[in-house]
Amino acid sequence: KSNKKKKKKKLPIARFREDPNKFSGSTHTSFLASNATIEVIPTSKQVEGIYRPLFHIANRKQKGRYPGREQFLDGDCNPNVWLTPCGRTLGALHDLYKIGARYGVVESVTVVPASNGGVIRFRYAACAELCRLCVGQKTELEDRLRDDKEFSAYLADLRTRCTNKTPTFPVPYGPLPSPLFPSVCGTTSVVATRASVVYAVDIPACGMDNRSGRPHVKGCVCIQCMTPAVRKVPNDLAHCISLTPDFISEEEELAILQGADSSPWMQDQQGIIASMRRRVQHYGYVFDYSTRLADTANPVGPFPEWIAGAVERMVPLYVDGEGVRVEPDQMTVQEYVAGKGIDNHVDSHASFLDTVSSISLGSPCVMVFGNPQTGKRFGLFLPRRSLLVIRGVARYLWSHKIPKRRLDKVEGMANLIERSRRVSITFRRVNKTLRCNCRYPISCDDPVRTEQEEASVAEYLKDDESKEVLERKFVRDFYDKVAGHFSATRHSPWPLVRHFLSVPEDNVSGSRAEEFSRTIAPSLRPGDIVGDIGCGNGKYLKGIPASCARVGCDLSVELVKLCRQSGHEVLAADALAIPFRDGAFDVTVCIAVFHHISSLERRQRIARELLRVTKPGGLVLVYAWAQEQDEDSKRIFESQDCFVPWHLPKDYVEGRAGGKSDGSDGPPRKRAKYGDATEPGIIVKGGAEFLVLQRYCHVFRKGEIEELFRTTGATIVTTYYDHANWCVLVRKQSS
Amino acid sequence: MKLLTHNMLSSNMPGVKERYPLGLVVGKIELQENEFDPAFVLHMLSKLNYPVLRKAASICQFNDLPEQPPANPTVENDGQFLQAVFHAI
């Protein structure tokens, strides 16, 4: 089969048409001539500006934005091509040479002009196997470069300076001296318009003008803007974090790695996402990642002899609170293949004593430390064969994580540091008492401390009367107290709900409409009446089109007052006895209500009420908090019934001055009263004081909310998971 | 509260025999200017309980609603009627 464009070189076209993702070999830029499209699918939400592109041939029969798209896993991507979308207008705003030079020593730069921008090739030293590709967003580039005199001048300048020979301008970026990485090799092409780039997600502007108004991608940072990791521990933490480079020699490293690889690796059972799973080995005691506690009752054998030397040198570092030396008795070996990391966490207070140390073998990486109280964060570069020791505040309060990426930016190092397979060995001392008296309850997982909380919930759930009290004090009164703050922090409607509460013609979701409609479709027609039961601050009432009528109700009088101030038709009512007549609504929504209801019987009553006030054949949409929170959530629900704290800023508490006097900037801040909430503690975060109030929650297991509606006789239209909620869409019988 | 809302309200108190409509006692009457939308009114008419609306409107001293609504009201022919209903709801 012949390609449309005739090329002078012979291209392995046949190979491409089979499967470009299996491509390997030295004709690395030839794919650009084929009709393959490059699709960017981030390997995880946390990947910072670096994506692994996939190649697929556009299916001619299937027109549309993502023809023939399938789910790809991390390992399936072409290992030879890297994509760096450094900002929206790569090529027009960024110095391309600087970008290219990050990957290694630039030997030459060639510019092949084309009518609409051109191709810029960077050639690096050595090995022909590797190829790096920098691609900008096609439509952006096309627009910008077509008439961009500045870019054309830049190209012309590059052309005169370095066509086919070593660049003449000073090269401020030298090679990275490292035995692990040979000089980066191959060619880097900046293809202004030739490659067709289809973005699966939008690339953030990272502080630059977001001209097209597209949303940022959560957790993504472009390389140019990424804060470099530091090589030295910040002074204020020097007393509790120490980094010893060259703690073990290269021979020792080799011996330890051989020792570890000849021992059996286990797959850890971490989380829901397969890409998170790492291989581990435990010695001394087993650490369970799903409960985040050490199994202190069952020791699993002594440390292996291949680690003995390193342990001996490390022992002087292990001291407890009184300065008494206690040797580590738990060791965890973890494997991090390039691109894998570990989520933000604090090492278990309940399971382990103070000092935690870790040796990095095989590859360097960056560990990001974060202070949950102040929000301060920094990345620390961990070189190969280095020893990291944390204690005190750094171990008990600060959390740490290893970002899931393949390249790290480190201060003082011109080029990005590439990660390869890293093995970490962490040493800890097991805490047999499981009790912790630290000063950092925000990070503490002492089960007795948390159990005390759970015990009080259980007390309330014992009989019907106390359940009512539970809901009155820790739901109704809670919301009355926090109404102003709650409303101020709840302004963005969840896109899927907004999509559902719209008429199709209005296309409120724009380019994402098709995507959303695969989960749930716009349900409204002009003239429909919508009921929002538990409307909170009226967040969803606001978005309902003017061609439809809407009414809301909420248990909290204070929230209702805020809604009415905004002009919504809202009244105070109890979802257990909704004061509307049968079939009043065409569509009913009940968002974030069910997880405040304390018994199955009450939840069933509400389900029946929701259906009663909906017309026959009408739809009911329900959202309720899931027990299975996704990996980013700070809340891990171990039990389905619990108190969830709310931090109310002091300004919102009565007795303090604050808030606008005439409400011209929106509803005036509602002042709550110090009341009878369970132990209203005060905590300090980021230097400000907050009153801690408790909210009762019953979080739902997968399938539970669905089950609730099955017994009502209505039809389940669809169920899904959205923003840490289990959601169900139900249709009332037509009668 | 809009009379449209009142038209939908019903009592949920246990032991109440006549749950609908709720009695209406006027505290304050507020008139709000809104853009007349005849299509909207037509849709609402099909869902409202008309006698209840008429009674509620008259309690609010608005007596322009006829005893019987037209059989098949349309935008062209019943403009005045629709305006009155719109004003009421």
Side-chain angles (χ1 to χ4, degrees):
Chain A
K1 303 203 169 60
S2 64
N3 204 5
K4 266 192 208 170
K5 300 173 186 159
K6 301 252 166 173
K7 293 288 153 199
K8 287 172 196 163
K9 283 189 199 160
K10 246 196 170 176
L11 303 168
I13 299 290
R15 250 204 285 180
F16 267 131
R17 286 183 196 265
E18 281 154 27
D19 184 351
N21 289 311
K22 297 222 166 37
F23 169 70
S24 68
S26 55
T27 45
H28 32 258
T29 52
S30 51
F31 68 84
L32 294 170
S34 77
N35 60 353
T37 51
I38 301 171
E39 184 166 12
V40 178
I41 298 178
T43 54
S44 94
K45 284 189 286 190
Q46 301 263 321
V47 173
E48 303 197 350
I50 309 166
Y51 301 111
R52 272 281 174 88
L54 305 172
F55 303 101
H56 63 98
I57 307 288
N59 185 335
R60 284 198 199 96
K61 290 178 200 166
Q62 242 176 312
K63 283 196 181 153
R65 208 174 143 90
Y66 306 111
R69 179 180 170 187
E70 291 142 39
Q71 275 294 94
F72 289 96
L73 296 173
D74 205 30
D76 292 357
C77 302
N78 186 324
N80 290 335
V81 185
W82 296 64
L83 200 70
T84 307
C86 298
R88 306 185 70 77
T89 51
L90 173 70
L93 288 187
H94 292 287
D95 184 332
L96 295 168
Y97 180 77
K98 280 189 182 156
I99 294 169
R102 296 204 92 98
Y103 292 100
V105 181
V106 176
E107 216 178 48
S108 70
V109 181
T110 39
V111 178
V112 178
S115 58
N116 42 12
V119 178
I120 306 173
R121 284 209 186 88
F122 292 82
R123 187 171 296 280
Y124 305 100
C127 169
E129 288 307 316
L130 225 50
C131 165
R132 284 188 173 37
L133 172 74
C134 299
V135 184
Q137 197 165 357
K138 177 188 177 221
T139 47
E140 278 280 329
L141 286 170
E142 268 184 343
D143 291 340
R144 284 197 73 82
L145 299 174
R146 192 171 294 130
D147 298 309
D148 196 311
K149 297 198 170 63
E150 201 186 293
F151 185 64
S152 311
Y154 177 71
L155 283 187
D157 184 51
L158 270 187
R159 217 171 290 142
T160 53
R161 292 219 255 173
C162 52
T163 304
N164 286 327
K165 57 179 193 277
T166 315
T168 56
F169 38 59
V171 180
Y173 308 99
L176 176 68
S178 161
L180 193 64
F181 313 113
S183 306
V184 172
C185 48
T187 47
T188 300
S189 300
V190 176
V191 182
T193 58
R194 200 99 55 84
S196 161
V197 180
V198 176
Y199 279 85
V201 294
D202 288 311
I203 305 305
C206 299
M208 296 194 292
D209 285 348
N210 194 349
R211 280 169 232 213
S212 73
R214 285 191 227 173
H216 286 204
V217 176
K218 184 179 170 189
C220 282
V221 174
C222 84
I223 283 204
Q224 294 286 78
C225 306
M226 205 195 297
T227 314
V230 298
R231 294 162 79 171
K232 190 169 148 291
V233 176
N235 287 330
D236 55 344
L237 287 166
H239 66 288
C240 54
I241 306 182
S242 82
L243 184 62
T244 312
D246 296 307
F247 181 68
I248 54 174
S249 66
E250 288 192 33
E251 295 81 32
E252 277 183 289
E253 181 192 37
L254 195 59
I256 295 173
L257 281 172
Q258 279 172 351
D261 281 329
S262 60
S263 314
W265 286 98
M266 278 167 28
Q267 200 80 21
D268 79 56
Q269 316 86 8
Q270 161 92 266
I272 313 168
I273 318 285
S275 63
M276 272 294 304
R277 292 190 193 136
R278 298 176 297 271
R279 294 198 303 168
V280 298
Q281 298 176 21
H282 297 290
Y283 299 92
Y285 294 86
V286 174
F287 183 73
D288 185 347
Y289 290 94
S290 51
T291 58
R292 287 241 132 98
L293 293 174
D295 185 0
T296 56
N298 305 308
V300 288
F303 290 175
E305 21 96 1
W306 39 265
I307 199 68
V311 173
E312 210 180 291
R313 290 210 300 283
M314 197 183 306
V315 157
L317 305 165
Y318 271 80
V319 292
D320 69 8
E322 277 91 60
V324 176
R325 185 182 300 180
V326 279
E327 292 181 26
D329 60 4
Q330 197 275 337
M331 170 179 145
T332 296
V333 185
Q334 289 189 82
E335 178 193 49
Y336 294 84
V337 301
K340 292 237 197 293
I342 186 167
D343 268 346
N344 220 10
H345 67 282
V346 177
D347 279 35
S348 168
H349 294 202
S351 303
F352 303 113
L353 296 179
D354 197 347
T355 313
V356 176
S357 68
S358 151
I359 309 178
S360 299
L361 302 120
S363 164
C365 74
V366 165
M367 180 171 279
V368 177
F369 288 88
N371 183 331
Q373 281 179 346
T374 62
K376 183 178 170 202
R377 283 194 327 174
F378 68 95
L380 181 66
F381 178 62
L382 304 182
R384 239 174 102 204
R385 296 178 285 105
S386 66
L387 173 76
L388 174 75
V389 183
I390 59 171
R391 58 167 68 86
V393 151
R395 175 260 184 278
Y396 279 114
L397 175 64
W398 287 70
S399 63
H400 51 272
K401 72 174 182 187
I402 294 177
K404 297 191 264 292
R405 55 183 187 231
R406 288 163 214 274
L407 294 168
D408 291 305
K409 191 165 154 182
V410 181
E411 72 177 12
M413 291 180 166
N415 294 327
L416 296 171
I417 312 298
E418 191 169 351
R419 290 194 208 168
S420 56
R421 181 200 187 219
R422 174 177 173 265
V423 171
S424 82
I425 308 189
T426 305
F427 298 90
R428 294 175 282 212
R429 174 89 187 170
V430 147
N431 174 11
K432 296 267 166 64
T433 68
L434 288 180
R435 295 306 316 275
C436 177
N437 290 317
C438 67
R439 293 182 289 139
Y440 314 108
I442 200 174
S443 298
C444 187
D445 66 338
D446 176 340
V448 176
R449 266 170 153 175
T450 41
E451 223 173 76
Q452 278 165 353
E453 233 180 48
E454 277 173 25
S456 48
V457 176
E459 281 296 310
Y460 279 104
L461 292 174
K462 276 192 180 152
D463 58 60
D464 287 338
E465 207 186 290
S466 51
K467 277 180 200 163
E468 282 190 42
V469 172
L470 180 67
E471 284 178 27
R472 194 169 61 237
K473 283 173 77 161
F474 298 103
V475 179
R476 192 195 70 185
D477 290 356
F478 167 85
Y479 278 105
D480 277 345
K481 288 183 190 118
V482 307
H485 186 224
F486 178 82
S487 179
T489 56
R490 298 286 189 273
H491 34 73
S492 307
W494 286 327
L496 280 174
V497 180
R498 186 164 163 260
H499 186 72
F500 174 73
L501 288 177
S502 69
V503 299
E505 294 74 42
D506 286 350
N507 194 22
V508 297
S509 305
S511 59
R512 301 195 72 184
E514 201 191 297
E515 177 199 334
F516 290 158
S517 291
R518 284 182 231 139
T519 303
I520 195 168
S523 62
L524 299 180
R525 285 177 308 187
D528 275 352
I529 307 185
V530 182
D532 185 350
I533 311 300
C535 61
N537 66 339
K539 184 166 80 162
Y540 294 109
L541 292 172
K542 205 163 48 170
I544 294 174
S547 55
C548 299
R550 76 219 73 155
V551 180
C553 68
D554 199 275
L555 187 63
S556 160
V557 170
E558 297 301 328
L559 280 173
V560 167
K561 284 185 190 167
L562 286 177
C563 281
R564 293 194 70 86
Q565 269 160 10
S566 305
H568 297 307
E569 189 75 347
V570 171
L571 47 102
D574 192 331
L576 285 161
I578 307 174
F580 289 100
R581 59 184 163 97
D582 300 5
F585 303 128
D586 295 285
V587 171
T588 310
V589 293
C590 183
I591 312 291
V593 170
F594 273 89
H595 57 256
H596 285 311
I597 312 300
S598 55
S599 77
L600 176 63
E601 190 262 322
R602 290 165 83 83
R603 296 190 281 266
Q604 283 169 337
R605 267 166 55 189
I606 298 183
R608 287 197 295 272
E609 277 292 284
L610 289 173
L611 286 165
R612 181 184 66 77
V613 300
T614 309
K615 74 169 185 204
L619 291 170
V620 177
L621 177 65
V622 171
Y623 267 52
W625 268 2
Q627 184 176 26
E628 302 88 337
Q629 300 281 294
D630 52 39
E631 51 190 285
D632 285 316
S633 173
K634 297 181 194 80
R635 296 183 209 106
I636 305 162
F637 292 114
E638 290 183 348
S639 129
Q640 280 188 271
D641 292 280
C642 53
F643 285 120
V644 176
W646 179 276
H647 298 152
L648 185 66
K650 275 290 196 75
D651 284 346
Y652 281 91
V653 177
E654 191 177 86
R656 286 266 178 160
K660 313 274 183 267
S661 50
D662 60 347
S664 54
D665 271 18
R669 289 152 152 185
K670 185 58 204 170
R671 299 186 199 128
K673 297 194 184 93
Y674 279 97
D676 48 334
T678 302
E679 285 166 31
I682 308 235
I683 65 155
V684 178
K685 268 193 316 190
E689 278 192 330
F690 295 82
L691 181 64
V692 179
L693 295 170
Q694 300 293 352
R695 202 177 357 171
Y696 164 72
C697 290
H698 167 91
V699 294
F700 285 75
R701 278 180 344 256
K702 183 176 181 177
E704 192 182 333
I705 193 80
E706 207 178 323
E707 189 55 43
L708 203 61
F709 279 89
R710 263 190 226 290
T711 59
T712 59
T715 319
I716 313 278
V717 174
T718 185
T719 66
Y720 58 95
Y721 183 89
D722 180 28
H723 284 89
N725 288 280
W726 286 117
C727 318
V728 64
L729 178 64
V730 162
R731 190 181 294 280
K732 180 170 171 175
Q733 293 158 312
S734 301
S735 79
Chain B
M1 156 173 54
K2 296 182 184 174
L3 292 187
L4 176 60
T5 307
H6 168 263
N7 206 269
M8 295 190 276
L9 285 176
S10 127
S11 172
N12 264 308
M13 296 298 289
V16 169
K17 288 189 190 148
E18 275 194 53
R19 296 169 176 270
Y20 178 83
L22 294 184
L24 194 58
V25 173
V26 174
K28 186 173 84 167
I29 298 181
E30 216 179 86
L31 285 177
Q32 230 183 36
E33 288 286 339
N34 275 317
E35 209 180 302
F36 176 54
D37 184 349
F40 179 78
V41 180
L42 273 175
H43 280 120
M44 291 304 122
L45 264 179
S46 60
K47 298 175 198 207
L48 289 171
N49 181 317
Y50 184 81
V52 167
L53 177 68
R54 184 164 181 268
K55 172 94 185 289
S58 74
I59 293 176
C60 299
Q61 279 138 37
F62 179 67
N63 295 306
D64 288 0
L65 288 175
E67 204 176 315
Q68 291 285 356
N72 283 313
T74 60
V75 178
E76 301 83 31
N77 301 334
D78 305 289
Q80 206 172 17
F81 169 70
L82 291 178
Q83 289 253 12
V85 174
F86 182 74
H87 183 87
I89 63 177

